[in-house]
Structure formats: C-alpha cells, structure tokens
Amino acid sequence: DIVMTQSPDSLTVSLGETATINCKSSQSLLWSPNNNNYLAWYQQKPGQPPKLLFYWASIRESGVPDRFSGSGSGTDFTLTISSLQAEDVAVYYCQQHLNTPHTFGQGTKVEIK
Amino acid sequence: QIQLVQSGAEVKKPGASVKVSCKASGYTFISHGITWVRQAPGQGPEWLGWISAHNGNTRYAHRVQGRVTVTIDAPTSTVYMELRSLTSDDTAVYYCARAGFVDYYDSSAYLDYWGQGTLVTVSS
C-alpha cells in the first residue's frame, strides 16, 4: 500500500497568516500517460464528512476560496492557506487515488492562535 | 442538486453483520462509481472499497476483503455496503462518496460528493 505522511500533525496560526501543510507519498503519484498527479486534498470539520478542496494536486474544486492553493508533484505535495480565516479551522487530509487502497494521510489539525 | 443520502445509525453485537445504504440523486447514476470510506473515532479516513455504477465491478481494501460486499441497485440508484463478522474495531462512521469523474471501469477517482455518514457501533 502507498503510505501517505503529513506534516505537521497540528498547526496553530494567527488570523490572516499563512498555514502550510505537507504531504509525502511512499511512491510517485504521477501517472505518465496523462501527466496527472493522483493526489486530492480534503477539509473536514467536526461532525461533517470530508469536503474536496483540490484534485490532481492543484486543481481547485468549484467554490473553494482562492486563498487555498495546492502544489507539488511526484511524491511531495503542499496545501497552503493564505490569510487564514476563522472558518478554516479544520482537519486537512491528503489522499492518493492512484492505487487501491486509496490511502489517506493521518491528518493535520489547523487551529487559530 | 447532487446528493448521497445514507441510512441511519446502527448498533450491532460482535460477530453480527451490518448493511448500510447510500441513495444517490441529482446526476446520471451509472456514470460515477461509489466509494466507501470509514472513520473510527478520532482517526483519519480509511478507504474500504469501490463499485462501478456502470457494471458492478468492485475493488476492496485488503484489510476488509472477505468480510465486505458492496452491491448496487441501479433502478433505485442505491449502493449497499455489507460488513460481516463485526468486531469493536469496526466501530466507525461509514461514508459513501461519489467518484469525481466518469469512471466506468477504473477506480482511480477523487471523491467529490459525500454522504452524511452512518455511525456503526459494535458493542456487546
């Protein structure tokens, strides 16, 4: 199975500052035939299902604020939240969807300082 | 609008089985596979399996293979996930989620719409 490792486990950031979450996969998620990275990011708030933020590593899902950005390729990926807002408090997960089982990272909890 | 509506919470004894339903609406059902994910209390999500809504092909996680069966009832746009021989380790919220692109034959989609979740509690 592909192992997904996120860092840090938790993050405390002041309102308006930038939060950076890293995700590393144990093997490349780049599939050469279509040049896509099979990496998605989700946001989960308490009592809710995960919400898709990014797919193909950097394509923002419709409705997601542009203060969120996704980047990376191969085995190293980053989710950046610029100008953090109170409503961004949540746990963020990366997930590889290249090979089954489609494994998730352990999650990064983002809180306000 | 696209919706996935799951059945209600279940309480089961160890060794029993549970069957959770997921009714889809608002899109062409056969075009998007359905994935099942569970989340134990305080833990991250765990991928359990996928079914093609086009032909019923399935893929399962090794960890639950042999205990899990995902089936589809196309006329009612409903997907079912049955888990057998339950233990306390199976206590979790179970989610169904839709493939983010048309995936007749391939399970490699991200998940764009999720059900509300079904809490399954296994306790003696």
Side-chain angles (χ1 to χ4, degrees), chain B residues 102-116:
Chain B
V102 174
D103 65 338
Y104 292 145
Y105 308 111
D106 187 331
S107 62
S108 296
Y110 50 87
L111 305 171
D112 63 351
Y113 287 88
W114 293 63
Q116 82 276 20

Side-chain angles (χ1 to χ4, degrees), chain A residues 50 69 95 103 113:
Chain A
S69 62
Q95 182 208 20
T103 41
K113 187 181 292 183

Side-chain angles (χ1 to χ4, degrees), chain A residues 8-96:
Chain A
D9 290 336
S10 65
L11 197 52
T12 305
V13 178
S14 300
L15 287 171
E17 296 300 305
T18 297
T20 302
I21 301 169
N22 299 301
C23 174
K24 190 173 185 66
S25 58
S26 61
Q27 65 187 73
S28 178
L29 304 182
L30 178 63
W31 197 51
S32 302
N34 60 15
N35 205 37
N36 282 333
N37 284 283
Y38 282 62
L39 187 282
W41 286 100
Y42 301 89
Q43 174 193 64
Q44 189 176 31
K45 297 182 178 180
Q48 297 183 17
K51 172 189 172 184
L52 178 66
L53 296 179
F54 289 91
Y55 55 96
W56 305 135
S58 61
I59 307 298
R60 192 181 296 108
E61 175 71 338
S62 176
V64 173
D66 61 7
R67 64 179 180 274
F68 289 86
S69 62
S71 62
S73 184
T75 61
D76 292 280
F77 301 89
T78 300
L79 174 68
T80 303
I81 313 172
S82 305
S83 189
L84 190 79
Q85 304 297 303
E87 61 263 33
D88 301 334
V89 168
V91 180
Y92 294 84
Y93 296 97
C94 60
Q95 182 208 20
Q96 65 83 16

Side-chain angles (χ1 to χ4, degrees), chain B residues 76-93:
Chain B
T76 62
S77 300
T78 303
V79 179
Y80 298 91
M81 188 281 303
E82 181 181 33
L83 189 61
R84 300 174 293 278
S85 302
L86 293 168
T87 73
S88 57
D89 288 345
D90 296 314
T91 294
V93 176

Side-chain angles (χ1 to χ4, degrees), chain B residues 58-74:
Chain B
T58 54
R59 298 271 179 88
Y60 299 123
H62 321 297
R63 190 174 165 189
V64 293
Q65 189 143 22
R67 292 200 299 131
V68 67
T69 303
V70 178
T71 55
I72 204 157
D73 182 38

